[in-house]
């Protein structure tokens, strides 16, 4: 994708991104990938806005006019049709787990987040205790004087 969410290539990458490389190297003016270069980095370099201006091409238009684009659109149309005799999906409840099970999972995760770092938890506990004692002594017996 390029800026704006426009597709410039949608398809299989292949082993070591061979399909992606073949597609972009097939475009007139795009430089070949260097040995040892990361294919993702190379693809970002050759499809930048500056490269589009330098080559005088729009990678979005090139992709929309490609066989790959037409195959993908045909596949989407084919998979969008429901087969005859099929039924809609039905789920008996809105959630896959009960409220109790979800609460237990959240509590278990919270338990492990606290005890993954006991020293941090101990410092937080001591700091909270200190602040509570400090505010308690500052406002001790203040309500009875009004």
């Amino acid at each position: 994708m390029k800026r704006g969410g426009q597709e410039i290539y949608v398809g299989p990458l292949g082993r070591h991104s061979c399909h992606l490389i073949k597609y972009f190297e097939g475009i007139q003016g795009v430089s070949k990938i260097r040995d040892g270069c990361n294919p993702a980095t190379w693809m970002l370099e050759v499809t930048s806005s500056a490269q589009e201006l330098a080559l005088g091409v729009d990678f979005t238009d090139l992709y929309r006019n490609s066989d790959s684009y037409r195959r993908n659109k045909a596949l989407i149309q084919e998979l969008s049709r429901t087969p005859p005799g099929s039924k809609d999906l039905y789920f008996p409840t809105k959630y896959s787990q009960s409220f109790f099970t979800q609460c237990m999972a959240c509590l278990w995760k919270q338990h492990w987040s606290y005890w993954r770092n006991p020293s941090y938890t101990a410092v937080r506990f001591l700091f909270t205790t200190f602040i509570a004692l400090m505010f308690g002594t500052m406002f001790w017996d203040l309500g009875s004087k009004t």
Side-chain angles (χ1 to χ4, degrees), residues 137-146:
T137 55
M138 284 172 49
F139 296 104
W140 183 264
D141 206 25
L142 192 63
S144 63
K145 294 180 182 177
T146 53

Side-chain angles (χ1 to χ4, degrees), residues 10-119:
V10 178
L13 295 177
R15 184 166 173 79
H16 302 296
S17 302
C18 65
H19 298 303
L20 174 83
I21 293 168
K22 182 180 174 186
Y23 174 79
F24 282 111
E25 284 182 343
I27 297 171
Q28 184 76 27
V30 173
S31 61
K32 303 286 185 208
I33 189 169
R34 297 178 308 278
D35 285 336
C37 183
N38 182 345
T41 304
W42 170 79
M43 188 268 311
L44 290 172
E45 289 172 358
V46 299
T47 61
S48 68
S49 299
Q51 279 294 107
E52 277 188 332
L53 288 174
L55 297 173
V57 297
D58 184 4
F59 288 111
T60 303
D61 290 339
L62 288 174
Y63 174 68
R64 284 190 182 145
N65 295 323
S66 70
D67 290 333
S68 177
Y69 179 79
R70 286 187 285 279
R71 275 194 310 269
N72 287 339
K73 287 298 176 187
L75 181 61
I76 289 169
Q77 289 300 321
E78 179 185 334
L79 295 175
S80 295
R81 282 185 245 112
T82 56
S86 65
K87 296 180 182 177
D88 287 339
L89 289 177
Y90 170 75
F91 299 102
T93 62
K94 184 176 180 180
Y95 302 105
S96 63
Q97 298 293 327
S98 68
F99 180 76
F100 178 75
T101 304
Q102 291 180 47
C103 284
M104 290 306 294
C106 288
L107 288 172
W108 185 250
K109 287 178 75 172
Q110 191 64 35
H111 165 78
W112 281 113
S113 72
Y114 279 134
W115 292 108
R116 189 170 290 132
N117 193 348
S119 59

